[in-house]
Amino acid sequence: MCGIVGYIGNGNVYDILIKGLHRLEYRGYDSAGIALVNPNGRLNVYKTKGKVENLEAFCQDKDLEACAGIAHTRWATHGEPSDCNAHPHFSEDRNLALVHNGTIENYKVLKDALSQHGCTFHSETDTEVLVQLIEYIKTKNSCSLVDAVREALKQVVGAYAIAVVEKDNPDQIVAARMSSPLVVGIGQNEFFLASDATPFVEYTKEAVYIKDGEVAIIERGKPLKVVSLENKESKVDVKTLEMSISQLEKGGYPHFMLKEIFEQPHTLHDCIRGRVVDGGHRVMVNGVNDNKDKFKECKRIIIVACGTSWHAALLGKYLIQDMCRIPVEVEYASEFRYSNPVITKDDIVIAISQSGETADTLAAIKIARGMGAFVYGISNVVGSSIPRETMSGTYIHVGPEIGVASTKAFTGQVMVLTMLALSIANLRGTMTPEQIEELGSHILQIPDKVEQVLKLNNRIERLSLIYTYARNFLYLGRGYSYPVALEGALKLKEISYIHAEGYPAAEMKHGPIALIDAEMPSVIIAPNDHLYEKIVSNVQQVKARGGNIIAIVTEGDTVIKNIADHVLEVPEMPECLTPIITSVPLQLLSYYIAINKGKNVDMPRNLAKSVTVE
Ligand code: F6R
């Protein structure tokens, strides 16, 4: 939530920052703003409500000369999206400008204290308090900007990644982090800073991930310096980025979401590579062998996640219980953290997060670790907070996901959970080598099977036209198809704004069946698995009440084909591998319905890709 970017160097500061903001727009797009420090002692701040393109239009006739600058794209927390709540925020004397990603929890106390010292506030944000506090300390103590930032942050409770520039000090940017991501890019005589590496990957591959409680001092002509709030210097650990610029572009697709849906054969291939080897004979996921005792002896697994990642987690429960015979609980991280959980050192907690930055998931990890559990992370973004906070873990390796609605990350998470379950089953001896090899060989075929499913694209596009104006949808499934139903419903509601509910198909008769009529389409996920006969009855129950049905079935299905209004056939797969195959047509259906309605699928209203606030 919120993206920050900064630059100091000889390049075109405005262009670099605006391009960087576009890359970070997935993190929020309620408003955008830029602060440009001019070598001749001017500090210009321009900001507007709305997307980055609005900011560009606003800046057309402005003074854009600069040698350094910072910029921000906002997902509103404190104060509605408006010009004045947009970042950067000025200090009282307009000598400092600051951008912030996170939430200052004690902002009210600080604001009251600063007001008593004569500070006036121009916005409703928590952020403005921070810049005023820095200025207040700087003036009172006659100290440097770095010292004022350190002292101010000692008084702050909450989450932040900030960057501050000073009118009279155009050669320096001071940045700091606590629980919100911040990375510094080191170029040739230039520095970048951003919420993730995407704004600068085309300029440099050298990156330093700033840690909680650290302050980065970025100064023209000097090496990067990192200190703690107590002014103790930290080692600067330079990492090499593996990301490529083509991964950040649409590659001829109209939207990132469609590109990411179509990338899945390739991303799943990358996800499987090196983990299923010898034709499926060996399946191994990072972190399992190194922690053999933990995985062999654990009594229970708890999986924590949010949103789409929670749906993958629910599939993880089915997979691990089936294959490893370990009891598994699945918790929303936001509930888990406040539920006074009972956790012991015999538990393994698995945290799943595409971004690796979700605040609730991070908090859940800290609680579980504090209570002695072994915590394993599954993430997509290399170097993000969750991999650093967990004791072991693995990446899904599906490349940057930019569309706000998660698609390729979901299938990657499910794929990793499947391989993780097989690795644990192997260790605990709950599956025979033959059974593992059999499933392993099917896993190797998944990229091709997904490619086959994508051939349904044109049919789904036509089908979407029939249902574009439905006001409600039901998504039904049983067993492994139940989490797929939940995920299908979430995809539809988040990008088309149509109300959709995912439900276990057999639970319908306990209430929701009352909703069925000709106006309420049902999407029923009914592959040929051990519950097939059961779901056929559920399909009949919906049809008997006049409901329209779109069914996802296995190729060659004859029974449901004769009952449902529309069927989409997917290739046959072992039951535990069907979720990856059946979720793809649902992604396409949501995409086309949202497009038919003229919605911005890559930036749905009110949402942001990385939820770094509670
Ligand atoms: C939905 C979606 C969200 C995320 C959720 C968790 O398409 O993307 O529901 O799944 O915000 O995010 P991560 O996985 O980054 O922790």
Side-chain angles (χ1 to χ4, degrees):
M1 327 224 99
C2 300
I4 66 171
V5 56
Y7 175 73
I8 193 161
N10 299 327
N12 184 319
V13 179
Y14 172 80
D15 286 351
I16 290 169
L17 293 179
I18 290 290
K19 206 165 173 186
L21 283 184
H22 277 296
R23 294 257 164 81
L24 293 179
E25 229 175 348
Y26 73 87
R27 301 179 66 88
Y29 28 83
D30 290 334
S31 62
I34 193 165
L36 298 170
V37 201
N38 183 295
N40 304 321
R42 294 194 301 278
L43 172 56
N44 293 314
V45 169
Y46 309 120
K47 50 190 193 173
T48 53
K49 183 178 167 184
K51 301 202 167 73
V52 178
E53 61 191 28
N54 295 13
L55 177 65
E56 285 177 272
F58 181 74
C59 286
Q60 256 172 9
D61 55 352
K62 301 286 187 293
D63 169 13
L64 303 178
E65 193 192 347
C67 55
I70 54 175
H72 187 267
T73 179
R74 178 169 188 245
W75 188 86
T77 55
H78 295 66
E80 59 169 12
S82 67
D83 292 354
C84 83
N85 286 335
H87 302 209
H89 289 284
F90 265 132
S91 59
E92 186 83 14
D93 64 3
R94 299 172 86 85
N95 199 32
L96 306 179
L98 177 145
V99 290
H100 168 219
N101 164 211
T103 340
I104 307 301
E105 285 169 20
N106 61 338
Y107 83 100
K108 187 82 183 63
V109 179
L110 296 172
K111 191 171 182 173
D112 290 347
L114 287 163
S115 300
Q116 280 176 14
H117 290 296
C119 279
T120 47
F121 290 87
H122 308 279
S123 76
E124 302 153 273
T125 64
D126 51 338
T127 302
E128 197 185 357
V129 172
L130 201 47
V131 69
Q132 301 281 32
L133 180 63
I134 295 169
E135 182 201 282
Y136 174 75
I137 292 172
K138 193 169 177 298
T139 314
K140 185 167 152 256
N141 298 355
S142 304
C143 63
S144 68
L145 176 61
V146 180
D147 289 344
V149 168
R150 285 193 306 99
E151 288 309 315
L153 293 179
K154 284 183 193 164
Q155 299 184 32
V156 161
V157 179
Y160 54 79
I162 58 161
V164 200
V165 286
E166 185 177 15
K167 185 159 78 178
D168 304 330
N169 191 2
D171 289 332
Q172 189 185 61
I173 302 176
V174 179
R177 90 158 251 177
M178 176 62 73
S179 302
S180 292
L182 180 65
V183 53
V184 175
I186 303 178
Q188 291 288 332
N189 303 318
E190 59 185 356
F191 289 104
F192 306 81
L193 72 89
S195 301
D196 67 34
T198 57
F200 58 77
V201 67
E202 69 203 85
Y203 308 106
T204 178
K205 294 272 189 255
E206 291 195 1
V208 177
Y209 291 91
I210 305 302
K211 300 192 191 77
D212 278 351
E214 286 183 341
V215 178
I217 305 158
I218 301 164
E219 206 153 355
R220 185 186 290 271
K222 293 193 182 162
L224 173 69
K225 189 172 169 191
V226 179
V227 297
S228 67
L229 295 189
E230 281 68 40
N231 209 16
K232 195 162 161 282
E233 199 160 338
S234 312
K235 184 171 169 286
V236 174
D237 183 11
V238 183
K239 300 264 190 249
T240 305
L241 297 172
E242 279 171 16
M243 202 184 289
S244 75
I245 190 72
S246 65
Q247 290 177 309
L248 307 177
E249 287 167 351
K250 288 188 196 145
Y253 287 91
H255 299 97
F256 281 110
M257 181 177 177
L258 193 62
K259 176 190 175 219
E260 286 159 5
I261 293 173
F262 271 86
E263 265 176 359
Q264 288 175 109
H266 173 71
T267 56
L268 285 162
H269 183 266
D270 286 348
C271 177
I272 296 164
R273 192 172 42 215
R275 291 164 164 169
V276 179
V277 290
D278 299 342
H281 181 63
R282 274 193 314 118
V283 181
M284 190 41 68
V285 171
N286 186 50
V288 177
N289 253 352
D290 311 339
N291 298 287
K292 264 193 187 128
D293 293 347
K294 295 276 176 209
F295 282 99
K296 261 186 173 166
E297 282 152 30
C298 80
K299 301 267 185 297
R300 180 175 67 148
I301 291 181
I302 299 153
I303 316 183
V304 292
C306 302
T308 286
S309 298
W310 188 89
H311 297 151
L314 193 55
L315 281 164
K317 169 183 165 126
Y318 287 68
L319 290 160
I320 295 171
Q321 283 190 176
D322 262 2
M323 297 182 189
C324 317
R325 309 306 298 140
I326 305 172
V328 182
E329 291 167 23
V330 180
E331 299 266 3
Y332 290 109
S334 54
E335 288 297 316
F336 175 87
R337 63 184 291 191
Y338 295 115
S339 67
N340 194 11
V342 180
I343 306 283
T344 73
K345 59 177 182 22
D346 295 328
D347 292 325
I348 291 183
V349 172
I350 300 178
I352 308 177
S353 171
Q354 186 286 129
S355 62
E357 299 293 350
T358 300
D360 286 320
T361 312
L362 269 168
I365 290 170
K366 286 179 188 155
I367 290 168
R369 252 188 16 195
M371 296 177 95
F374 174 74
V375 187
Y376 184 91
I378 298 176
S379 182
N380 188 33
V381 179
V382 177
S384 57
S385 302
I386 286 176
R388 281 189 277 130
E389 292 290 337
T390 44
M391 290 139 149
S392 177
T394 197
Y395 288 108
I396 58 175
H397 291 308
V398 300
E401 189 179 67
I402 296 172
V404 165
S406 186
T407 53
K408 63 177 182 172
F410 174 72
T411 50
Q413 288 166 341
V414 178
M415 196 65 263
V416 162
L417 284 161
T418 312
M419 296 184 291
L420 179 68
L422 282 168
S423 309
I424 304 172
N426 181 38
L427 212 60
R428 292 172 75 111
T430 46
M431 285 173 77
T432 63
E434 293 71 31
Q435 287 171 319
I436 292 176
E437 181 161 3
E438 160 86 16
L439 273 180
S441 67
H442 282 288
I443 288 176
L444 292 173
Q445 294 170 26
I446 281 189
D448 288 344
K449 301 284 178 183
V450 170
E451 192 81 65
Q452 247 175 284
V453 177
L454 288 168
K455 297 210 170 87
L456 292 169
N457 180 54
N458 293 346
R459 270 207 60 207
I460 296 174
E461 186 175 5
R462 286 195 300 274
L463 179 62
S464 70
L465 293 168
I466 305 174
Y467 292 102
T468 296
Y469 296 100
R471 308 217 16 216
N472 299 285
F473 264 85
L474 269 172
Y475 282 70
L476 305 174
R478 301 185 71 152
Y480 281 100
S481 297
Y482 163 51
V484 176
L486 294 177
E487 175 58 10
L490 177 62
K491 283 296 83 93
L492 186 71
K493 54 190 152 189
E494 68 185 328
I495 58 170
S496 70
Y497 319 143
I498 295 173
H499 170 248
E501 208 172 325
Y503 226 75
E507 273 294 302
M508 283 287 290
K509 54 187 174 292
H510 301 291
I513 201 160
L515 293 167
I516 299 287
D517 64 14
E519 306 289 302
M520 165 78 104
S522 296
V523 178
I524 306 186
I525 301 104
N528 192 6
D529 58 20
H530 84 286
L531 293 169
Y532 181 74
E533 302 301 332
K534 309 277 178 201
I535 200 141
V536 168
S537 310
N538 303 135
V539 171
Q540 271 160 338
Q541 288 156 10
V542 173
K543 202 65 220 164
R545 281 146 189 95
N548 286 314
I549 298 173
I550 303 168
I552 314 292
V553 297
T554 306
E555 266 167 8
D557 180 288
T558 49
V559 180
I560 294 182
K561 212 171 186 172
N562 285 324
I563 315 170
D565 300 85
H566 316 274
V567 291
L568 296 168
E569 292 182 62
V570 297
E572 175 116 46
M573 269 275 136
E575 181 165 351
C576 65
L577 301 181
T578 54
I580 294 176
I581 305 293
T582 52
S583 54
V584 175
L586 305 186
Q587 297 169 348
L588 286 168
L589 184 65
S590 317
Y591 172 80
Y592 284 114
I593 290 180
I595 292 295
N596 299 342
K597 295 185 79 169
K599 304 299 179 202
N600 184 342
V601 295
D602 282 339
M603 292 184 215
R605 71 181 178 205
N606 305 339
L607 294 179
K609 185 88 188 144
S610 185
V611 186
T612 52
V613 294
E614 271 202 57

